[in-house]
Amino acid sequence: MAAKYELAEPAGPAREKAFEEALDALRDRRDEFAAQGHVPRDFLQLLKRAGIYRASTPQRFGGEPMAPTDFLDRIERISAVDPATGWVASFGSSLTYLTALPLEVQEQLYAQGPDIVYAGALFPMHEPEVIEGGFRCTGRWQFASGSAGADILGVGLKDPTDPRPRNAIIDPADAEVIENWDVAGMRATGSNDIKLDGVFVPHERTFIRGGASTVDEPLYHYPALAYAAQVLAVTGVGAARGALDYVREVGSQRTSITGGNRRGTTGTFQIGVARAEARLRSARAWFYEATDEVWQTVLAGDEVSYEQKVLLRLATSHAAHESRAVVMAAFDLAGTGAIYTKHPLQRFVQDALVPPQHAMLAGGTYEASGAMLLGAEAGIPSFP
């Protein structure tokens, strides 16, 4: 087995310093990332130093699994600087999926260390050719966020026995990344297409997304699909925080082009800031409250209840939608200047529009949550 190497700073002050240094570098480079359409590998190395990409690696393989609240708080803080980079960093949580793989496969994946960047492109699911020992995979998959810097990739396959995607783990060298990510929001995520042409994947290197974990550690008993939605929603929470901080610290000092007092001295501005602050803090509080409740249930060794799962998904969708509303309120407060492409609020406006559009957070998840709270079927696959 190859010798292991450590990329993260030791837990404690050194790692906290590495995280702050990554945030400082992000403030300097976020425009660069948006312009080039992806977060580069050298910055992902800074996130590895800060422990982001070992936060969901099993402890048995050298990882340091973070409590969901702690990890989500990290992603929120990154997103308050640049939501698109927060989105890429959020996939540090996706290694929870990989615990559905056989233990010997996981041991191979982590043979050189626990700091792994995984990027997945699940849809559209393609039907593979079933051959001896595994699958031959051909197709093109969308939305491979962070694929430019990934150590391993995943694609979604149709499984005749399960409506959920079967993920196939592949080496990036076996895939072609089609650079077609031409978007206004979350541009720096580099969510390009992945193309495979007859790539063989052994059966043991595939797993059902959201399937049972082979690792008996607390994080892998936390609802995996809910967590996948949470790490995306919290980028919107960070965007809302960044937008409100801007209008309070900078926008409040500006005057209208037509003259008059500073914006921050007007009743309209003051009421708008207060309402937006209350709205964000309320949604955020419930989001983290629901997270902590489920996590404490897991730590106690109890099964997470049906209602807890539903409320966790509902609080998550609510956070994404309320955060978008808060960012738009900040945009209104900023006045006409905010329409300019280079205005600082534009990154938050454009990026905050994306999380509520995601299938795991879209308006239909409200309907699904309500249906389940009333004892009906969700109508959405793999919900909650």
Side-chain angles (χ1 to χ4, degrees):
M1 182 183 295
K4 290 200 172 191
Y5 56 90
E6 293 292 324
L7 294 177
E9 294 292 335
R15 190 170 298 172
E16 290 300 315
K17 181 181 178 183
F19 183 68
E20 293 297 337
E21 288 174 348
L23 293 181
D24 288 342
L26 181 58
R27 291 183 185 96
D28 291 338
R29 300 183 62 189
R30 55 193 174 185
D31 292 337
E32 168 198 334
F33 298 169
Q36 67 190 15
H38 69 270
V39 179
R41 285 185 180 274
D42 68 299
F43 186 80
L44 294 181
Q45 291 298 107
L46 298 183
L47 295 180
K48 287 183 177 183
R49 285 186 61 227
I52 296 297
Y53 288 105
R54 64 174 53 193
S56 61
T57 301
Q59 191 172 10
R60 67 180 295 161
F61 299 120
E64 299 174 54
M66 271 190 188
T69 294
D70 295 338
F71 183 78
L72 292 165
D73 177 73
R74 294 278 190 187
I75 302 306
E76 181 185 354
R77 290 174 62 190
I78 295 169
S79 301
V81 178
D82 184 53
T85 301
W87 186 281
V88 172
S90 79
F91 287 94
S93 69
S94 60
L95 300 184
T96 55
Y97 290 146
L98 303 190
T99 63
L101 288 165
L103 291 175
E104 57 270 22
V105 174
Q106 294 181 60
E107 187 171 6
Q108 293 167 10
L109 291 175
Y110 299 118
Q112 295 185 41
D115 304 289
I116 299 291
V117 179
Y118 170 68
L122 293 179
F123 299 104
M125 291 186 288
H126 291 283
E127 188 169 347
E129 179 186 357
V130 180
I131 61 177
E132 184 178 356
F135 308 96
R136 181 171 285 118
C137 304
T138 299
R140 182 165 169 169
W141 290 260
Q142 294 179 284
F143 303 118
S145 299
S147 52
D151 299 312
I152 53 175
L153 295 173
V155 297
L157 307 178
K158 290 182 180 178
D159 189 296
T161 66
D162 199 305
R164 296 173 295 181
R166 176 171 289 278
N167 281 41
I169 301 300
I170 58 173
D171 188 321
D174 293 329
E176 179 185 359
V177 176
I178 309 295
E179 296 189 3
N180 63 338
W181 188 237
D182 185 13
V183 294
M186 293 290 182
R187 175 164 168 72
T189 64
S191 303
N192 293 298
D193 287 7
I194 291 176
K195 183 179 179 181
L196 301 184
D197 186 9
V199 174
F200 173 70
V201 181
H203 188 277
E204 63 271 16
R205 290 179 73 89
T206 71
F207 63 94
I208 296 296
R209 181 175 181 253
S213 173
T214 59
V215 177
D216 187 16
E217 295 178 17
L219 183 59
Y220 315 110
H221 294 289
Y222 189 85
L225 293 180
Y227 198 27
Q230 286 190 282
V231 299
L232 302 181
V234 82
T235 66
V237 177
R241 180 74 275 154
L244 273 185
D245 285 351
Y246 175 83
V247 297
R248 289 177 62 184
E249 296 166 9
V250 180
S252 63
Q253 304 303 311
R254 299 287 172 84
T255 58
S256 168
I257 193 172
T258 60
N261 297 329
R262 289 184 295 108
R263 293 184 183 277
T265 65
T266 68
T268 299
F269 195 97
Q270 293 164 354
I271 292 170
V273 166
R275 285 180 172 165
E277 194 71 50
R279 195 168 185 176
L280 175 60
R281 287 176 181 263
S282 297
R284 182 182 183 278
W286 184 29
F287 175 79
Y288 282 110
E289 176 190 311
T291 304
D292 285 334
E293 180 183 325
V294 171
W295 181 237
Q296 290 306 314
T297 299
V298 169
L299 291 180
D302 298 329
E303 185 175 351
V304 179
S305 72
Y306 174 91
E307 180 148 329
Q308 281 180 309
K309 291 179 182 178
V310 174
L311 291 175
L312 185 61
R313 289 299 299 268
L314 180 56
T316 299
S317 293
H318 184 66
H321 285 261
E322 287 294 279
S323 294
R324 175 170 62 184
V326 167
V327 171
M328 295 313 298
F331 178 76
D332 288 344
L333 291 170
T336 307
I339 69 173
Y340 283 90
T341 304
K342 299 298 185 182
H343 192 278
L345 272 184
Q346 279 295 323
R347 73 168 43 83
F348 300 119
V349 170
Q350 293 174 28
D351 289 353
L353 295 177
V354 176
Q357 297 293 107
H358 194 280
M360 298 189 80
L361 299 165
T365 59
Y366 277 99
E367 181 181 355
S369 298
M372 297 187 81
L373 290 174
L374 294 170
E377 292 294 324
I380 296 177
S382 303
F383 194 94

